[in-house]
Every structure is written in structure tokens, then in C-alpha cells.
Amino acid sequence: MAVPKGFSVKATIAELMATCLFVFIGTGAAVTFSSVNGPAGWGLSRPKGIGEGIAPGQELQYLVSELDYISNNLLRNPSWGVITALAFGLAITVLAYATGHLSGGQMNPAVTFGLVGVGALNPMQGLANLCAQIVGAILGSAFLLGVIPDGSDSALGSNRVAPGVSNGNAFLGEAVMTFVLVSVVLETAVNHKSLTIRQQAPLAIGFAVFTAHAVLLPIDGCSINPARSLGPAIVSGTWPGNFWIFVVGPFVGALFAIPFHLFWSSDFDTVQSRDPISLEPAGPSLTDKGTLGSTSGDPVNLARPESPMPKV
């Protein structure tokens, strides 16, 4: 079977698998550690449907129930936020190391968009990866539905804007923290000036995801990844009216990261022959053969098969 030039079936399948596992692990931790395991057995602290379709005049009662839910959640498991943030961050790190040599370990349409935007990823491969990520997220949520007891009563870790938080608050938070994530990806895994730290890129990216969740979990559950939000929403049927925040916000953040990367990676105002920190001669350049890349093509930049650019 002929494969179009600049397209990798392996990379697409790797993105599907990695995103599936990422969503399963991250949202799985969010759901299970916000559950209650008491005398009556295992149950969810927040059944699906609470807060949906608020009747006129019931806003105050809804707000009280929301605050009660949050306070009870903290009393039952005060480490829920840290554990959930670690689960998302460590999942990204582990899976990026596992699939980086196959697809670049993107697992996020916003990251894929950023890579295409800076010319580090073939647009055809980028579109295939994006579709694979969405399908993988749906599969991950479907697996979680089958794993947790009473899964049909769960929102499966769907994102929602917290009470008292405006749409503008959540949108800005999603855009800013996605900007952080995509910038870390581009500067550690793509920028040709970061060859000396390239192997630690998945670790830095995982920490970026962790910090994003540390900030945004109380705001809107932290998306910074449209696929991560779409998977649970589709499987659980949880569609808040402001769901657009979790799709548009991350793409806007990625869009703003693109010009910064192009500026940082340019030779403007830099000493090309020396390292900017140690002032010693810089490491091998992208044109040197035998660097961290391979002659069989880089999974991130499939448009240039002979490029020795190291992998994400």
C-alpha cells in the first residue's frame, strides 16, 4: 500500500495510543481521587448532571450545593489537586519518552498546531495526528467509563468553569498556560539552539503540564488540550454552554507561542558561534551529520526526510 510522501502511519497510530493512555490516566486520577469509598461502598462525590439546567430562581441553591461539593471534596481528599496534577504531568512525561521517536509524543492538538505553525511538522501529518488525538481521547474516556464503578453517573473528568469564575477568567487562564506548554515544547524539543538539553525535553514538558494543572484545576479543571476535553465530554455527554473555552483557549495560546519561537530560534541579537550561557563554543549545529536525528526522517518534521532535527 502506497503511503503519501511526508505521512507516517506509525506516527498517527502512536498519537492515537498515547493520547488514549494520557486521557485515561489523567482523568482517571481526577475521577477516582474525587470519589468516596465509605460504608456504602464506592461512589462518586459528584454525579453527572448536577448543575445542569438550573431553574430560574435556583441560582443561590445551586451555588450553595457547588460550594458544599468543593468543601466536601477537600475534606475527603485534600491531596486531590496535587495527585491529579501529578498524574497529568507524569503521564505526559512517560508517554512522550515512549512515543517521541515515533511521532514526537504530541498528544495535544494545540501542540500539533504549534509545530505545524513553526514549520516543524508537515501539515498533512499534523492533520492526521490531530484526528488521531481526538479518537484516542474518546477511547481513553470509554475505557475509563468501563473501569470505574457507576461510570455512567460520572462526568469522566470533563472540564467545567468553577462557580464564581467568569468565562473570561477561564479563557485567559487556558490561553496563558497553553502558551507556557507550547513554548516549552518548541524551545526544548524543536529549537536548534537547545540540542544540549533535547533529551530532557519530555521531563520539562511534563513539568509544564503539572504547573498548568496546579494553577487551573480550581478554575476550570485545566484543559490546555482540546482532545483531553473533547474525549470525556463526548463519552459522558457533558456539554456545558461555555465548552468553547476548552477548544478556543488552547489554540489561541499556541498561536501566540509561534512568533516567540520564531524570534528565539532566529540569529537576531545572538552570538552564533558561542553558547549564550557559558560563552564556550556551542554544540553541534543542525547541519552536522551524526547528531541526534536520523537519516530516515524525523517524526516531527516529516516534510524534510533528511533533516537531522532531534525528536520531540
Side-chain angles (χ1 to χ4, degrees), residues 152-204:
S152 60
D153 293 328
S154 170
L156 301 176
S158 297
N159 290 106
R160 67 182 182 89
V161 177
V165 177
S166 70
N167 290 345
N169 297 146
F171 175 81
L172 182 59
E174 289 293 330
V176 169
M177 295 314 298
T178 306
F179 171 84
V180 172
L181 170 61
V182 176
S183 294
V184 170
V185 171
L186 296 178
E187 299 314 313
T188 61
V190 177
N191 195 323
H192 63 276
K193 299 177 182 179
S194 65
L195 287 175
T196 56
I197 61 171
R198 191 64 50 87
Q199 299 302 326
Q200 287 75 47
L203 189 60

Side-chain angles (χ1 to χ4, degrees), residues 2-299:
V3 177
K5 183 179 180 181
F7 176 77
S8 169
V9 176
K10 285 184 178 180
T12 305
I13 296 176
E15 282 298 304
L16 189 153
M17 180 196 74
T19 309
C20 171
L21 295 175
F22 168 69
V23 170
F24 177 81
I25 294 169
T27 58
V31 171
T32 55
F33 275 90
S34 63
S35 64
V36 182
N37 194 357
W42 197 97
L44 297 169
S45 59
R46 178 185 174 85
K48 181 182 71 173
I50 290 181
E52 298 177 4
I54 306 171
Q58 299 296 315
E59 291 84 0
L60 180 59
Q61 181 179 351
Y62 167 64
L63 179 59
V64 171
S65 68
E66 288 284 295
L67 293 175
D68 181 64
Y69 157 72
I70 294 172
S71 61
N72 287 340
N73 215 30
L74 291 174
L75 289 174
R76 289 166 184 150
N77 191 352
S79 62
W80 172 82
V82 175
I83 291 173
T84 301
L86 279 173
F88 276 103
L90 291 176
I92 280 287
T93 298
V94 169
L95 294 168
Y97 272 121
T99 62
H101 61 292
L102 298 171
S103 67
Q106 298 155 33
M107 294 169 274
N108 186 335
V111 170
T112 300
F113 173 72
L115 291 170
V116 173
V118 301
L121 181 65
N122 182 289
M124 179 184 296
Q125 186 66 52
L127 179 61
N129 288 357
L130 187 149
C131 294
Q133 290 158 2
I134 294 175
V135 173
I138 295 173
L139 287 175
S141 294
F143 288 143
L144 182 61
L145 176 67
V147 167
I148 63 173
D150 300 323
S152 60
D153 293 328
S154 170
L156 301 176
S158 297
N159 290 106
R160 67 182 182 89
V161 177
V165 177
S166 70
N167 290 345
N169 297 146
F171 175 81
L172 182 59
E174 289 293 330
V176 169
M177 295 314 298
T178 306
F179 171 84
V180 172
L181 170 61
V182 176
S183 294
V184 170
V185 171
L186 296 178
E187 299 314 313
T188 61
V190 177
N191 195 323
H192 63 276
K193 299 177 182 179
S194 65
L195 287 175
T196 56
I197 61 171
R198 191 64 50 87
Q199 299 302 326
Q200 287 75 47
L203 189 60
I205 294 167
F207 274 117
V209 171
F210 170 79
T211 55
H213 282 77
V215 174
L216 294 180
L217 276 176
I219 302 296
D220 60 5
C222 188
S223 172
I224 64 169
N225 184 335
R228 171 261 180 273
S229 296
L230 281 168
I234 291 173
V235 176
S236 69
T238 305
W239 294 97
N242 50 15
F243 184 83
W244 61 271
I245 292 172
F246 308 114
V247 177
V248 180
F251 279 116
V252 170
L255 180 63
F256 274 93
I258 292 174
F260 278 91
H261 168 74
L262 296 177
F263 177 68
W264 305 138
S265 61
S266 71
D267 289 327
F268 173 79
D269 196 30
T270 56
V271 181
Q272 299 182 37
S273 62
R274 293 184 180 275
D275 183 273
I277 297 177
S278 66
L279 297 181
E280 293 297 323
S285 67
L286 280 176
T287 57
D288 293 337
K289 295 295 182 180
T291 56
L292 298 177
S294 66
T295 56
S296 60
D298 185 277

